[in-house]
Amino acid sequence: MFDIPDYKKVRVIIDTDAACEADDPFAIVHGLLSPKLIVKGICAEHFAQPRSMEQSFEEIRTILSAMDTDIPVFHGQRGPLSEDREVSEAASFMIREAQSDDPHPLFILCQGAITNVAMAIETEPSIMDRMTIIWIGTHGSAYGYVPFREFNAGNDIEAANTVLRKGTHLWLVPSYVYTTVIIGIAEIERRIAPCGQIGRHLYENLINYNNSEGAGWTQGESWSLGDSPAIALAINPRCGHYEITNAPHIGEDTASSECPDEHPIRIYKDVDSRYILEDLIAKLELAAESHLTSKLVR
């Protein structure tokens, strides 16, 4: 795998509800295979099931095992802020990393509820100026009508509004953007499944979920890899267009309402889906080829 100059690299913490459905693992793998990203740790997020944070933690461990990679993994909050006010391993880790003297800029890449980040900034507000948050969530600046209950914000609306209110360096990837990162399952079978143990895991994990009762919302032959923009924008912030606008407020139904007095944040209006998908697939192919070559050399 190629490398890039050190001064172009950034530190990242991946915050993920990895066991929720099939898109998170693709994003995690993309992050781990990207030379620009110094992955300092991966934090498990909860979602709308009992013991969901623990399920996410185990899925992260499964991914790391399949990639034969050793990255620190941290337990997050066990539920929304309204249910768990004890500072988790994940929140404590985010605070420590934000307070580090490491000169590489720090990005928190959030692929689920944003509870761990909210707990971290409530515990130590000074870290907000020391990191950039990229969050896959909310309906962004589409005010009023709610096309569906936005899952990530809806899993902890208090945490969502906490981060929106305090997140001075916040890049938001809303529903009308992340749902456009679409790939056919045939392409996953043809191009990703052959890429070693991790490629097979990504494919089989998706197929198992697609055939489950919980996947009634999907189209059947395709998948939205909606979490992948969090990784891609940390690699290349210009792989999409954005607006600078005041942070919205999120209602109980996950609708966004305009808040003229709030601070400005970056809200992406689109992303380059093929760049994101092709970059992931090419890195998987390179990693698989490298692994095969190393086995042949032995």
PDB file of all heavy atoms in Angstrom, residues 13 15 43 45 77 81 85-96 98-99 108 114-128 131 133 159 162-163 166:
ATOM      1  N   ILE A  13     -10.645   9.299  15.255  1.00  0.00           N
ATOM      2  CA  ILE A  13     -11.336   8.348  16.126  1.00  0.00           C
ATOM      3  C   ILE A  13     -12.624   7.990  15.412  1.00  0.00           C
ATOM      4  O   ILE A  13     -13.407   8.874  15.042  1.00  0.00           O
ATOM      5  CB  ILE A  13     -11.631   8.943  17.511  1.00  0.00           C
ATOM      6  CG1 ILE A  13     -10.338   9.286  18.249  1.00  0.00           C
ATOM      7  CG2 ILE A  13     -12.479   7.976  18.337  1.00  0.00           C
ATOM      8  CD1 ILE A  13     -10.547  10.071  19.539  1.00  0.00           C
ATOM      9  N   ASP A  15     -16.243   6.516  15.570  1.00  0.00           N
ATOM     10  CA  ASP A  15     -17.301   6.293  16.558  1.00  0.00           C
ATOM     11  C   ASP A  15     -18.472   5.654  15.819  1.00  0.00           C
ATOM     12  O   ASP A  15     -19.066   6.279  14.941  1.00  0.00           O
ATOM     13  CB  ASP A  15     -17.700   7.632  17.183  1.00  0.00           C
ATOM     14  CG  ASP A  15     -18.644   7.448  18.347  1.00  0.00           C
ATOM     15  OD1 ASP A  15     -18.203   6.943  19.395  1.00  0.00           O
ATOM     16  OD2 ASP A  15     -19.835   7.818  18.224  1.00  0.00           O
ATOM     17  N   CYS A  43     -14.569   3.572  18.743  1.00  0.00           N
ATOM     18  CA  CYS A  43     -15.489   3.628  19.876  1.00  0.00           C
ATOM     19  C   CYS A  43     -16.840   3.029  19.493  1.00  0.00           C
ATOM     20  O   CYS A  43     -17.378   3.337  18.426  1.00  0.00           O
ATOM     21  CB  CYS A  43     -15.673   5.076  20.333  1.00  0.00           C
ATOM     22  SG  CYS A  43     -14.138   5.870  20.882  1.00  0.00           S
ATOM     23  N   GLU A  45     -20.797   2.579  19.662  1.00  0.00           N
ATOM     24  CA  GLU A  45     -22.011   3.342  19.952  1.00  0.00           C
ATOM     25  C   GLU A  45     -23.198   2.399  20.151  1.00  0.00           C
ATOM     26  O   GLU A  45     -23.233   1.292  19.612  1.00  0.00           O
ATOM     27  CB  GLU A  45     -22.334   4.303  18.798  1.00  0.00           C
ATOM     28  CG  GLU A  45     -21.729   5.678  18.906  1.00  0.00           C
ATOM     29  CD  GLU A  45     -22.368   6.560  19.976  1.00  0.00           C
ATOM     30  OE1 GLU A  45     -23.321   6.105  20.660  1.00  0.00           O
ATOM     31  OE2 GLU A  45     -21.908   7.695  20.119  1.00  0.00           O
ATOM     32  N   GLN A  77     -21.120   4.818  25.703  1.00  0.00           N
ATOM     33  CA  GLN A  77     -22.284   4.918  26.576  1.00  0.00           C
ATOM     34  C   GLN A  77     -23.238   3.771  26.262  1.00  0.00           C
ATOM     35  O   GLN A  77     -23.394   3.392  25.108  1.00  0.00           O
ATOM     36  CB  GLN A  77     -22.995   6.257  26.370  1.00  0.00           C
ATOM     37  CG  GLN A  77     -22.102   7.487  26.498  1.00  0.00           C
ATOM     38  CD  GLN A  77     -21.465   7.628  27.871  1.00  0.00           C
ATOM     39  OE1 GLN A  77     -20.258   7.828  27.995  1.00  0.00           O
ATOM     40  NE2 GLN A  77     -22.285   7.514  28.913  1.00  0.00           N
ATOM     41  N   LEU A  81     -28.130   9.737  26.522  1.00  0.00           N
ATOM     42  CA  LEU A  81     -27.713  10.500  27.699  1.00  0.00           C
ATOM     43  C   LEU A  81     -28.751  10.437  28.801  1.00  0.00           C
ATOM     44  O   LEU A  81     -28.396  10.444  29.998  1.00  0.00           O
ATOM     45  CB  LEU A  81     -27.467  11.961  27.306  1.00  0.00           C
ATOM     46  CG  LEU A  81     -26.256  12.251  26.411  1.00  0.00           C
ATOM     47  CD1 LEU A  81     -26.191  13.743  26.106  1.00  0.00           C
ATOM     48  CD2 LEU A  81     -24.952  11.790  27.057  1.00  0.00           C
ATOM     49  N   ARG A  85     -25.458   8.436  32.403  1.00  0.00           N
ATOM     50  CA  ARG A  85     -24.691   9.650  32.656  1.00  0.00           C
ATOM     51  C   ARG A  85     -23.289   9.343  33.164  1.00  0.00           C
ATOM     52  O   ARG A  85     -22.528  10.262  33.470  1.00  0.00           O
ATOM     53  CB  ARG A  85     -25.403  10.537  33.687  1.00  0.00           C
ATOM     54  CG  ARG A  85     -26.802  10.923  33.325  1.00  0.00           C
ATOM     55  CD  ARG A  85     -26.916  11.706  32.039  1.00  0.00           C
ATOM     56  NE  ARG A  85     -26.104  12.924  32.013  1.00  0.00           N
ATOM     57  CZ  ARG A  85     -26.219  13.863  31.090  1.00  0.00           C
ATOM     58  NH1 ARG A  85     -27.090  13.720  30.105  1.00  0.00           N
ATOM     59  NH2 ARG A  85     -25.467  14.937  31.123  1.00  0.00           N
ATOM     60  N   GLU A  86     -22.923   8.079  33.232  1.00  0.00           N
ATOM     61  CA  GLU A  86     -21.562   7.725  33.640  1.00  0.00           C
ATOM     62  C   GLU A  86     -20.628   7.878  32.445  1.00  0.00           C
ATOM     63  O   GLU A  86     -20.927   7.408  31.344  1.00  0.00           O
ATOM     64  CB  GLU A  86     -21.522   6.285  34.154  1.00  0.00           C
ATOM     65  CG  GLU A  86     -20.170   5.864  34.682  1.00  0.00           C
ATOM     66  CD  GLU A  86     -20.181   4.472  35.268  1.00  0.00           C
ATOM     67  OE1 GLU A  86     -21.286   3.919  35.473  1.00  0.00           O
ATOM     68  OE2 GLU A  86     -19.094   3.925  35.514  1.00  0.00           O
ATOM     69  N   VAL A  87     -19.484   8.517  32.652  1.00  0.00           N
ATOM     70  CA  VAL A  87     -18.548   8.773  31.553  1.00  0.00           C
ATOM     71  C   VAL A  87     -17.926   7.455  31.102  1.00  0.00           C
ATOM     72  O   VAL A  87     -17.277   6.750  31.875  1.00  0.00           O
ATOM     73  CB  VAL A  87     -17.448   9.766  31.979  1.00  0.00           C
ATOM     74  CG1 VAL A  87     -16.498  10.037  30.817  1.00  0.00           C
ATOM     75  CG2 VAL A  87     -18.065  11.065  32.469  1.00  0.00           C
ATOM     76  N   SER A  88     -18.120   7.117  29.849  1.00  0.00           N
ATOM     77  CA  SER A  88     -17.672   5.831  29.308  1.00  0.00           C
ATOM     78  C   SER A  88     -16.189   5.847  28.958  1.00  0.00           C
ATOM     79  O   SER A  88     -15.541   6.897  28.908  1.00  0.00           O
ATOM     80  CB  SER A  88     -18.479   5.497  28.046  1.00  0.00           C
ATOM     81  OG  SER A  88     -18.221   6.456  27.027  1.00  0.00           O
ATOM     82  N   GLU A  89     -15.667   4.650  28.667  1.00  0.00           N
ATOM     83  CA  GLU A  89     -14.297   4.530  28.154  1.00  0.00           C
ATOM     84  C   GLU A  89     -14.121   5.368  26.897  1.00  0.00           C
ATOM     85  O   GLU A  89     -13.104   6.035  26.710  1.00  0.00           O
ATOM     86  CB  GLU A  89     -13.985   3.072  27.784  1.00  0.00           C
ATOM     87  CG  GLU A  89     -13.867   2.091  28.898  1.00  0.00           C
ATOM     88  CD  GLU A  89     -13.606   0.687  28.380  1.00  0.00           C
ATOM     89  OE1 GLU A  89     -13.604   0.463  27.155  1.00  0.00           O
ATOM     90  OE2 GLU A  89     -13.389  -0.193  29.235  1.00  0.00           O
ATOM     91  N   ALA A  90     -15.123   5.332  26.017  1.00  0.00           N
ATOM     92  CA  ALA A  90     -15.030   6.041  24.742  1.00  0.00           C
ATOM     93  C   ALA A  90     -14.945   7.548  24.957  1.00  0.00           C
ATOM     94  O   ALA A  90     -14.095   8.226  24.366  1.00  0.00           O
ATOM     95  CB  ALA A  90     -16.233   5.705  23.868  1.00  0.00           C
ATOM     96  N   ALA A  91     -15.814   8.089  25.808  1.00  0.00           N
ATOM     97  CA  ALA A  91     -15.801   9.529  26.064  1.00  0.00           C
ATOM     98  C   ALA A  91     -14.479   9.950  26.712  1.00  0.00           C
ATOM     99  O   ALA A  91     -13.903  10.985  26.351  1.00  0.00           O
ATOM    100  CB  ALA A  91     -16.981   9.911  26.945  1.00  0.00           C
ATOM    101  N   SER A  92     -14.001   9.151  27.637  1.00  0.00           N
ATOM    102  CA  SER A  92     -12.722   9.466  28.290  1.00  0.00           C
ATOM    103  C   SER A  92     -11.574   9.435  27.302  1.00  0.00           C
ATOM    104  O   SER A  92     -10.670  10.286  27.343  1.00  0.00           O
ATOM    105  CB  SER A  92     -12.459   8.467  29.427  1.00  0.00           C
ATOM    106  OG  SER A  92     -13.432   8.587  30.438  1.00  0.00           O
ATOM    107  N   PHE A  93     -11.605   8.473  26.386  1.00  0.00           N
ATOM    108  CA  PHE A  93     -10.557   8.384  25.369  1.00  0.00           C
ATOM    109  C   PHE A  93     -10.580   9.598  24.453  1.00  0.00           C
ATOM    110  O   PHE A  93      -9.532  10.150  24.099  1.00  0.00           O
ATOM    111  CB  PHE A  93     -10.718   7.098  24.557  1.00  0.00           C
ATOM    112  CG  PHE A  93      -9.817   7.020  23.360  1.00  0.00           C
ATOM    113  CD1 PHE A  93      -8.444   6.919  23.517  1.00  0.00           C
ATOM    114  CD2 PHE A  93     -10.340   7.074  22.080  1.00  0.00           C
ATOM    115  CE1 PHE A  93      -7.604   6.868  22.411  1.00  0.00           C
ATOM    116  CE2 PHE A  93      -9.519   7.014  20.978  1.00  0.00           C
ATOM    117  CZ  PHE A  93      -8.138   6.915  21.141  1.00  0.00           C
ATOM    118  N   MET A  94     -11.766  10.022  24.043  1.00  0.00           N
ATOM    119  CA  MET A  94     -11.871  11.206  23.191  1.00  0.00           C
ATOM    120  C   MET A  94     -11.279  12.433  23.883  1.00  0.00           C
ATOM    121  O   MET A  94     -10.574  13.237  23.254  1.00  0.00           O
ATOM    122  CB  MET A  94     -13.337  11.461  22.829  1.00  0.00           C
ATOM    123  CG  MET A  94     -13.933  10.450  21.878  1.00  0.00           C
ATOM    124  SD  MET A  94     -15.705  10.770  21.590  1.00  0.00           S
ATOM    125  CE  MET A  94     -16.116   9.380  20.528  1.00  0.00           C
ATOM    126  N   ILE A  95     -11.543  12.575  25.158  1.00  0.00           N
ATOM    127  CA  ILE A  95     -10.994  13.706  25.913  1.00  0.00           C
ATOM    128  C   ILE A  95      -9.476  13.647  25.938  1.00  0.00           C
ATOM    129  O   ILE A  95      -8.793  14.644  25.657  1.00  0.00           O
ATOM    130  CB  ILE A  95     -11.571  13.721  27.343  1.00  0.00           C
ATOM    131  CG1 ILE A  95     -13.074  14.021  27.307  1.00  0.00           C
ATOM    132  CG2 ILE A  95     -10.838  14.749  28.205  1.00  0.00           C
ATOM    133  CD1 ILE A  95     -13.775  13.802  28.630  1.00  0.00           C
ATOM    134  N   ARG A  96      -8.932  12.480  26.238  1.00  0.00           N
ATOM    135  CA  ARG A  96      -7.464  12.336  26.300  1.00  0.00           C
ATOM    136  C   ARG A  96      -6.828  12.642  24.950  1.00  0.00           C
ATOM    137  O   ARG A  96      -5.806  13.327  24.885  1.00  0.00           O
ATOM    138  CB  ARG A  96      -7.084  10.910  26.733  1.00  0.00           C
ATOM    139  CG  ARG A  96      -7.420  10.569  28.169  1.00  0.00           C
ATOM    140  CD  ARG A  96      -6.673   9.330  28.632  1.00  0.00           C
ATOM    141  NE  ARG A  96      -6.887   8.170  27.763  1.00  0.00           N
ATOM    142  CZ  ARG A  96      -7.901   7.327  27.892  1.00  0.00           C
ATOM    143  NH1 ARG A  96      -8.817   7.517  28.833  1.00  0.00           N
ATOM    144  NH2 ARG A  96      -8.012   6.277  27.090  1.00  0.00           N
ATOM    145  N   ALA A  98      -8.034  14.440  22.476  1.00  0.00           N
ATOM    146  CA  ALA A  98      -8.179  15.857  22.136  1.00  0.00           C
ATOM    147  C   ALA A  98      -7.185  16.725  22.902  1.00  0.00           C
ATOM    148  O   ALA A  98      -6.751  17.771  22.400  1.00  0.00           O
ATOM    149  CB  ALA A  98      -9.607  16.312  22.424  1.00  0.00           C
ATOM    150  N   GLN A  99      -6.830  16.309  24.098  1.00  0.00           N
ATOM    151  CA  GLN A  99      -5.893  17.070  24.925  1.00  0.00           C
ATOM    152  C   GLN A  99      -4.437  16.736  24.623  1.00  0.00           C
ATOM    153  O   GLN A  99      -3.532  17.353  25.189  1.00  0.00           O
ATOM    154  CB  GLN A  99      -6.190  16.830  26.404  1.00  0.00           C
ATOM    155  CG  GLN A  99      -7.522  17.407  26.856  1.00  0.00           C
ATOM    156  CD  GLN A  99      -7.866  17.059  28.291  1.00  0.00           C
ATOM    157  OE1 GLN A  99      -7.455  16.015  28.807  1.00  0.00           O
ATOM    158  NE2 GLN A  99      -8.634  17.917  28.944  1.00  0.00           N
ATOM    159  N   ILE A 108     -13.143  13.416  14.701  1.00  0.00           N
ATOM    160  CA  ILE A 108     -14.001  12.366  15.257  1.00  0.00           C
ATOM    161  C   ILE A 108     -15.019  12.027  14.181  1.00  0.00           C
ATOM    162  O   ILE A 108     -15.801  12.885  13.748  1.00  0.00           O
ATOM    163  CB  ILE A 108     -14.734  12.827  16.530  1.00  0.00           C
ATOM    164  CG1 ILE A 108     -13.770  13.501  17.508  1.00  0.00           C
ATOM    165  CG2 ILE A 108     -15.440  11.636  17.186  1.00  0.00           C
ATOM    166  CD1 ILE A 108     -12.761  12.588  18.123  1.00  0.00           C
ATOM    167  N   ILE A 114     -24.773  10.171  18.447  1.00  0.00           N
ATOM    168  CA  ILE A 114     -23.581  10.959  18.761  1.00  0.00           C
ATOM    169  C   ILE A 114     -23.409  11.095  20.275  1.00  0.00           C
ATOM    170  O   ILE A 114     -22.846  12.060  20.791  1.00  0.00           O
ATOM    171  CB  ILE A 114     -23.625  12.319  18.035  1.00  0.00           C
ATOM    172  CG1 ILE A 114     -22.228  12.914  17.884  1.00  0.00           C
ATOM    173  CG2 ILE A 114     -24.640  13.259  18.705  1.00  0.00           C
ATOM    174  CD1 ILE A 114     -22.112  13.960  16.806  1.00  0.00           C
ATOM    175  N   THR A 115     -23.838  10.064  20.998  1.00  0.00           N
ATOM    176  CA  THR A 115     -23.853  10.097  22.462  1.00  0.00           C
ATOM    177  C   THR A 115     -22.463  10.168  23.055  1.00  0.00           C
ATOM    178  O   THR A 115     -22.227  10.924  24.012  1.00  0.00           O
ATOM    179  CB  THR A 115     -24.597   8.862  22.993  1.00  0.00           C
ATOM    180  OG1 THR A 115     -25.849   8.729  22.316  1.00  0.00           O
ATOM    181  CG2 THR A 115     -24.840   8.981  24.490  1.00  0.00           C
ATOM    182  N   ASN A 116     -21.520   9.382  22.536  1.00  0.00           N
ATOM    183  CA  ASN A 116     -20.169   9.376  23.111  1.00  0.00           C
ATOM    184  C   ASN A 116     -19.516  10.749  23.009  1.00  0.00           C
ATOM    185  O   ASN A 116     -18.867  11.216  23.955  1.00  0.00           O
ATOM    186  CB  ASN A 116     -19.297   8.329  22.409  1.00  0.00           C
ATOM    187  CG  ASN A 116     -19.776   6.914  22.639  1.00  0.00           C
ATOM    188  OD1 ASN A 116     -20.412   6.615  23.642  1.00  0.00           O
ATOM    189  ND2 ASN A 116     -19.479   6.027  21.697  1.00  0.00           N
ATOM    190  N   VAL A 117     -19.683  11.411  21.869  1.00  0.00           N
ATOM    191  CA  VAL A 117     -19.114  12.746  21.684  1.00  0.00           C
ATOM    192  C   VAL A 117     -19.786  13.740  22.619  1.00  0.00           C
ATOM    193  O   VAL A 117     -19.128  14.585  23.243  1.00  0.00           O
ATOM    194  CB  VAL A 117     -19.247  13.207  20.221  1.00  0.00           C
ATOM    195  CG1 VAL A 117     -18.781  14.637  20.065  1.00  0.00           C
ATOM    196  CG2 VAL A 117     -18.449  12.291  19.305  1.00  0.00           C
ATOM    197  N   ALA A 118     -21.109  13.659  22.732  1.00  0.00           N
ATOM    198  CA  ALA A 118     -21.834  14.577  23.615  1.00  0.00           C
ATOM    199  C   ALA A 118     -21.360  14.436  25.054  1.00  0.00           C
ATOM    200  O   ALA A 118     -21.164  15.443  25.756  1.00  0.00           O
ATOM    201  CB  ALA A 118     -23.337  14.317  23.512  1.00  0.00           C
ATOM    202  N   MET A 119     -21.172  13.198  25.502  1.00  0.00           N
ATOM    203  CA  MET A 119     -20.678  12.992  26.864  1.00  0.00           C
ATOM    204  C   MET A 119     -19.274  13.564  27.031  1.00  0.00           C
ATOM    205  O   MET A 119     -18.952  14.177  28.058  1.00  0.00           O
ATOM    206  CB  MET A 119     -20.698  11.501  27.211  1.00  0.00           C
ATOM    207  CG  MET A 119     -20.170  11.185  28.601  1.00  0.00           C
ATOM    208  SD  MET A 119     -21.031  12.061  29.937  1.00  0.00           S
ATOM    209  CE  MET A 119     -22.609  11.188  29.961  1.00  0.00           C
ATOM    210  N   ALA A 120     -18.439  13.391  26.028  1.00  0.00           N
ATOM    211  CA  ALA A 120     -17.069  13.909  26.113  1.00  0.00           C
ATOM    212  C   ALA A 120     -17.064  15.434  26.230  1.00  0.00           C
ATOM    213  O   ALA A 120     -16.344  16.000  27.067  1.00  0.00           O
ATOM    214  CB  ALA A 120     -16.253  13.462  24.901  1.00  0.00           C
ATOM    215  N   ILE A 121     -17.863  16.120  25.418  1.00  0.00           N
ATOM    216  CA  ILE A 121     -17.816  17.583  25.447  1.00  0.00           C
ATOM    217  C   ILE A 121     -18.586  18.161  26.628  1.00  0.00           C
ATOM    218  O   ILE A 121     -18.299  19.266  27.072  1.00  0.00           O
ATOM    219  CB  ILE A 121     -18.288  18.207  24.110  1.00  0.00           C
ATOM    220  CG1 ILE A 121     -19.750  17.899  23.821  1.00  0.00           C
ATOM    221  CG2 ILE A 121     -17.411  17.729  22.970  1.00  0.00           C
ATOM    222  CD1 ILE A 121     -20.257  18.539  22.542  1.00  0.00           C
ATOM    223  N   GLU A 122     -19.561  17.411  27.162  1.00  0.00           N
ATOM    224  CA  GLU A 122     -20.198  17.851  28.403  1.00  0.00           C
ATOM    225  C   GLU A 122     -19.233  17.716  29.574  1.00  0.00           C
ATOM    226  O   GLU A 122     -19.214  18.556  30.478  1.00  0.00           O
ATOM    227  CB  GLU A 122     -21.465  17.039  28.677  1.00  0.00           C
ATOM    228  CG  GLU A 122     -22.673  17.474  27.882  1.00  0.00           C
ATOM    229  CD  GLU A 122     -23.961  16.936  28.457  1.00  0.00           C
ATOM    230  OE1 GLU A 122     -23.908  16.003  29.293  1.00  0.00           O
ATOM    231  OE2 GLU A 122     -25.038  17.445  28.092  1.00  0.00           O
ATOM    232  N   THR A 123     -18.413  16.669  29.545  1.00  0.00           N
ATOM    233  CA  THR A 123     -17.458  16.431  30.621  1.00  0.00           C
ATOM    234  C   THR A 123     -16.298  17.409  30.569  1.00  0.00           C
ATOM    235  O   THR A 123     -15.833  17.906  31.606  1.00  0.00           O
ATOM    236  CB  THR A 123     -16.925  14.982  30.538  1.00  0.00           C
ATOM    237  OG1 THR A 123     -18.024  14.069  30.565  1.00  0.00           O
ATOM    238  CG2 THR A 123     -15.979  14.668  31.688  1.00  0.00           C
ATOM    239  N   GLU A 124     -15.817  17.704  29.357  1.00  0.00           N
ATOM    240  CA  GLU A 124     -14.665  18.600  29.186  1.00  0.00           C
ATOM    241  C   GLU A 124     -14.918  19.522  27.992  1.00  0.00           C
ATOM    242  O   GLU A 124     -14.452  19.266  26.882  1.00  0.00           O
ATOM    243  CB  GLU A 124     -13.389  17.773  28.980  1.00  0.00           C
ATOM    244  CG  GLU A 124     -12.109  18.579  28.969  1.00  0.00           C
ATOM    245  CD  GLU A 124     -11.965  19.461  30.201  1.00  0.00           C
ATOM    246  OE1 GLU A 124     -11.816  18.908  31.313  1.00  0.00           O
ATOM    247  OE2 GLU A 124     -12.022  20.691  30.039  1.00  0.00           O
ATOM    248  N   PRO A 125     -15.660  20.624  28.211  1.00  0.00           N
ATOM    249  CA  PRO A 125     -16.056  21.498  27.094  1.00  0.00           C
ATOM    250  C   PRO A 125     -14.883  22.085  26.313  1.00  0.00           C
ATOM    251  O   PRO A 125     -15.039  22.403  25.125  1.00  0.00           O
ATOM    252  CB  PRO A 125     -16.858  22.604  27.791  1.00  0.00           C
ATOM    253  CG  PRO A 125     -17.333  21.997  29.074  1.00  0.00           C
ATOM    254  CD  PRO A 125     -16.243  21.050  29.488  1.00  0.00           C
ATOM    255  N   SER A 126     -13.717  22.198  26.939  1.00  0.00           N
ATOM    256  CA  SER A 126     -12.579  22.843  26.266  1.00  0.00           C
ATOM    257  C   SER A 126     -12.082  22.065  25.054  1.00  0.00           C
ATOM    258  O   SER A 126     -11.384  22.623  24.201  1.00  0.00           O
ATOM    259  CB  SER A 126     -11.423  23.026  27.256  1.00  0.00           C
ATOM    260  OG  SER A 126     -10.923  21.768  27.682  1.00  0.00           O
ATOM    261  N   ILE A 127     -12.447  20.792  24.934  1.00  0.00           N
ATOM    262  CA  ILE A 127     -11.932  19.992  23.808  1.00  0.00           C
ATOM    263  C   ILE A 127     -12.578  20.374  22.489  1.00  0.00           C
ATOM    264  O   ILE A 127     -12.073  20.014  21.423  1.00  0.00           O
ATOM    265  CB  ILE A 127     -12.090  18.478  24.047  1.00  0.00           C
ATOM    266  CG1 ILE A 127     -13.576  18.083  24.077  1.00  0.00           C
ATOM    267  CG2 ILE A 127     -11.371  18.052  25.319  1.00  0.00           C
ATOM    268  CD1 ILE A 127     -13.801  16.573  24.152  1.00  0.00           C
ATOM    269  N   MET A 128     -13.691  21.116  22.523  1.00  0.00           N
ATOM    270  CA  MET A 128     -14.387  21.440  21.285  1.00  0.00           C
ATOM    271  C   MET A 128     -13.507  22.191  20.296  1.00  0.00           C
ATOM    272  O   MET A 128     -13.659  22.049  19.083  1.00  0.00           O
ATOM    273  CB  MET A 128     -15.645  22.263  21.569  1.00  0.00           C
ATOM    274  CG  MET A 128     -16.858  21.442  21.948  1.00  0.00           C
ATOM    275  SD  MET A 128     -17.232  20.062  20.844  1.00  0.00           S
ATOM    276  CE  MET A 128     -17.057  20.784  19.246  1.00  0.00           C
ATOM    277  N   MET A 131     -10.777  19.690  18.010  1.00  0.00           N
ATOM    278  CA  MET A 131     -11.135  18.574  17.142  1.00  0.00           C
ATOM    279  C   MET A 131     -12.217  19.013  16.172  1.00  0.00           C
ATOM    280  O   MET A 131     -12.943  19.981  16.401  1.00  0.00           O
ATOM    281  CB  MET A 131     -11.619  17.381  17.963  1.00  0.00           C
ATOM    282  CG  MET A 131     -12.861  17.651  18.788  1.00  0.00           C
ATOM    283  SD  MET A 131     -13.201  16.277  19.921  1.00  0.00           S
ATOM    284  CE  MET A 131     -14.823  16.768  20.538  1.00  0.00           C
ATOM    285  N   ILE A 133     -15.555  17.413  14.192  1.00  0.00           N
ATOM    286  CA  ILE A 133     -16.518  16.308  14.217  1.00  0.00           C
ATOM    287  C   ILE A 133     -17.169  16.198  12.839  1.00  0.00           C
ATOM    288  O   ILE A 133     -17.685  17.185  12.305  1.00  0.00           O
ATOM    289  CB  ILE A 133     -17.609  16.550  15.276  1.00  0.00           C
ATOM    290  CG1 ILE A 133     -16.991  16.686  16.673  1.00  0.00           C
ATOM    291  CG2 ILE A 133     -18.643  15.423  15.261  1.00  0.00           C
ATOM    292  CD1 ILE A 133     -17.947  17.296  17.689  1.00  0.00           C
ATOM    293  N   ALA A 159     -28.435  14.210  22.841  1.00  0.00           N
ATOM    294  CA  ALA A 159     -27.021  14.261  22.450  1.00  0.00           C
ATOM    295  C   ALA A 159     -26.858  15.031  21.141  1.00  0.00           C
ATOM    296  O   ALA A 159     -25.912  15.812  20.982  1.00  0.00           O
ATOM    297  CB  ALA A 159     -26.460  12.848  22.299  1.00  0.00           C
ATOM    298  N   THR A 162     -27.064  18.653  21.874  1.00  0.00           N
ATOM    299  CA  THR A 162     -25.888  19.061  22.641  1.00  0.00           C
ATOM    300  C   THR A 162     -24.714  19.354  21.718  1.00  0.00           C
ATOM    301  O   THR A 162     -24.056  20.383  21.818  1.00  0.00           O
ATOM    302  CB  THR A 162     -25.495  17.966  23.651  1.00  0.00           C
ATOM    303  OG1 THR A 162     -26.530  17.829  24.623  1.00  0.00           O
ATOM    304  CG2 THR A 162     -24.181  18.293  24.356  1.00  0.00           C
ATOM    305  N   VAL A 163     -24.470  18.434  20.776  1.00  0.00           N
ATOM    306  CA  VAL A 163     -23.336  18.610  19.857  1.00  0.00           C
ATOM    307  C   VAL A 163     -23.606  19.741  18.872  1.00  0.00           C
ATOM    308  O   VAL A 163     -22.717  20.543  18.566  1.00  0.00           O
ATOM    309  CB  VAL A 163     -23.023  17.288  19.132  1.00  0.00           C
ATOM    310  CG1 VAL A 163     -21.926  17.491  18.094  1.00  0.00           C
ATOM    311  CG2 VAL A 163     -22.607  16.219  20.138  1.00  0.00           C
ATOM    312  N   LYS A 166     -23.003  22.988  20.705  1.00  0.00           N
ATOM    313  CA  LYS A 166     -21.648  23.259  21.178  1.00  0.00           C
ATOM    314  C   LYS A 166     -20.563  22.976  20.148  1.00  0.00           C
ATOM    315  O   LYS A 166     -19.411  23.375  20.339  1.00  0.00           O
ATOM    316  CB  LYS A 166     -21.366  22.417  22.432  1.00  0.00           C
ATOM    317  CG  LYS A 166     -22.279  22.734  23.606  1.00  0.00           C
ATOM    318  CD  LYS A 166     -21.923  21.887  24.817  1.00  0.00           C
ATOM    319  CE  LYS A 166     -22.816  22.221  26.010  1.00  0.00           C
ATOM    320  NZ  LYS A 166     -22.475  21.419  27.204  1.00  0.00           N
TER     321      LYS A 166
END
